[in-house]
Amino acid sequence: MDIEKPSNKTAGKPIQCRAPGEPLVIDEVIVDPPNSHEVRVRIICTSLCHSDVTFWKMKDFPAVFPRILGHEAIGVVESVGENVDGVVEGDVVIPHFLADCTECVGCRSKKGNLCSAFPFKISPWMPRDQTSRFKDLRGETIHHFVSVSSFSEYTVLDIAHVVKVDPTVPPNRACLLSCGVSTGVGAAWRTANVEVGSTVVIFGLGSIGLAVAEGARLCGATRIIGVDVISEKFEIGKRFGVTEFVNSKNCGDKSVSQIIIDMTDGGADYCFECVGLASLVQEAYACCRKGWGKTIVLGVDQPGSQLSLSSFEVLHSGKILMGSLFGGLKAKSDIPILLKRYMDKELELDKFVTHEMKFEEINSAFDLLIKGKCLRCVIWMGE
């Protein structure tokens, strides 16, 4: 589609636009101009993620209300603040919740993707000055969400949280790489470094688990075994590269890990936990092959959840257990690579999008997500 370039008539001035109130009633809000190191962006598309539901329904801190949720999106830079390099008005950008300042020790290192200057946290504020760029028509503060807040026609982002992208990529596909698909694909590609011919087990075939399967397929895994409590997930998983399936409710007297060990003659090369349960992390670690197996944790568990592992097993098994935030990706360098792989028809983003709706239909979109009737629902913010 042709992306309309912004007019500079609004630069430096507050913008009145629409955003969901609570309970997801679309309200008029004021979006202030960007400060230093910030850009104001007109959102084109945003997609729904279960994290939005989690924080919408959460009662205690870090839940803060009123707040503009949403964190998977693509948009056009409407105006820029001082000290902004790399993007100008009219550029197409993808926001990302995990900072990539490109300058700190963490961002310069090839060993990880965690920014030292702006560590990830569920903050209700802009990252540099701990203030908000949103307010309602009465002048009351509205809070941010993970430095993105894409459920608004306009949002303000720190330059560490945006990456300039090719404007020819369809926005209703590019927005998926803002969080979920990038996390799953990246976990297989960057975090685990899945090898050609390897065996992969994925606990949980939701959107993230399916994205892991897509990443493992791209990496050349021979066996991709899905584990879920819903048998119908196998048919969906096949489209993403899943080759075998285990229903964890139908294991009889055996544990899931023992079933996997038997299927793989000793364990999988790579196991991914995509649900967010400590018990499944332990099962994934148990069925990871001794000597070189890796267990990658992507699921978000309840605050305070603890893992219990045998010290003897950790010492003697030679396995690796690690977390993967945003799939180990460095947004500014890796998102453009994934977009190119999509345009080259390698990364298959189309199959993740099951619904597309207008902004006014956001409640219907959330209903589909909560009932498990969609993978990714893309919301078009304008006509």
Side-chain angles (χ1 to χ4, degrees), residues 12-330:
K13 302 174 184 177
I15 285 179
Q16 183 172 331
C17 67
R18 299 178 302 164
E22 204 224 323
L24 290 181
V25 176
I26 295 178
D27 289 335
E28 295 288 329
V29 300
I30 302 298
V31 184
D32 287 336
N35 284 357
S36 179
H37 302 285
E38 297 173 359
V39 296
R40 187 162 58 185
V41 172
R42 176 175 63 83
I43 298 296
I44 303 169
C45 290
T46 184
S47 55
L48 272 58
C49 175
H50 270 285
S51 297
D52 298 311
V53 176
T54 299
F55 284 90
W56 176 28
K57 301 296 185 181
M58 192 178 290
K59 303 300 181 184
D60 301 317
F61 189 84
V64 179
F65 298 99
R67 168 181 254 166
I68 296 177
L69 295 169
H71 62 287
E72 291 188 357
I74 187 171
V76 178
V77 175
E78 173 271 337
S79 59
V80 301
E82 296 179 354
N83 301 308
V84 169
D85 296 318
V87 301
V88 298
E89 293 176 12
D91 282 345
V92 178
V93 295
I94 288 179
H96 42 90
F97 71 90
L98 193 66
D100 184 1
C101 76
T102 73
E103 298 175 352
C104 71
V105 172
C107 290
R108 292 198 311 269
S109 173
K110 295 181 180 180
K111 298 179 181 179
N113 70 332
L114 301 183
C115 180
S116 305
F118 305 106
F120 174 70
K121 54 185 175 180
I122 310 294
S123 171
W125 312 114
M126 293 296 292
R128 293 180 197 259
D129 64 4
Q130 305 300 295
T131 61
S132 175
R133 303 292 170 267
F134 299 118
K135 56 180 177 285
D136 62 23
L137 299 186
R138 299 181 301 276
E140 298 295 324
T141 296
I142 300 175
H143 299 93
H144 291 253
F145 181 59
V146 293
S147 301
V148 178
S149 293
S150 61
F151 292 167
S152 173
E153 292 174 323
Y154 288 85
T155 189
V156 177
L157 304 158
D158 192 279
I159 192 60
H161 288 274
V162 295
V163 54
K164 179 181 176 180
V165 297
D166 182 351
T168 65
V169 180
N172 57 340
R173 299 297 182 262
C175 65
L176 303 183
L177 296 181
S178 201
C179 176
V181 175
S182 287
T183 295
V185 172
W189 172 39
R190 288 299 195 202
T191 304
N193 192 22
V194 170
E195 299 154 319
V196 173
S198 56
T199 296
V200 168
V201 175
I202 302 168
F203 287 79
L205 292 182
S207 294
I208 300 297
L210 293 173
V212 171
E214 176 72 2
R217 180 190 68 80
L218 285 172
C219 291
T222 301
R223 300 179 70 184
I224 302 176
I225 304 169
V227 180
D228 207 293
V229 296
I230 303 173
S231 294
E232 290 76 12
K233 292 285 188 71
F234 186 25
E235 288 304 313
I236 298 172
K238 287 178 181 178
R239 304 204 308 266
F240 296 84
V242 176
T243 59
E244 298 156 79
F245 183 81
V246 174
N247 187 319
S248 56
K249 284 187 173 181
N250 300 330
C251 294
D253 295 333
K254 291 186 176 182
S255 63
V256 177
S257 56
Q258 188 58 55
I259 294 286
I260 298 295
I261 289 170
D262 292 344
M263 290 175 64
T264 57
D265 191 24
D269 300 304
Y270 303 96
C271 293
F272 297 85
E273 198 283 335
C274 304
V275 178
L277 290 174
S279 59
L280 286 184
V281 174
Q282 291 168 199
E283 285 288 276
Y285 186 77
C287 66
C288 192
R289 185 171 293 273
K290 292 182 179 180
W292 65 76
K294 288 184 181 179
T295 297
I296 315 298
V297 179
L298 289 85
V300 180
D301 207 340
Q302 295 296 316
S305 295
Q306 300 289 316
L307 290 174
S308 178
L309 297 173
S310 161
S311 178
F312 179 89
E313 183 182 6
V314 170
L315 175 62
H316 289 80
S317 67
K319 304 176 184 180
I320 295 172
L321 173 64
M322 61 191 304
S324 180
L325 196 57
F326 196 51
L329 300 180
K330 290 184 180 295

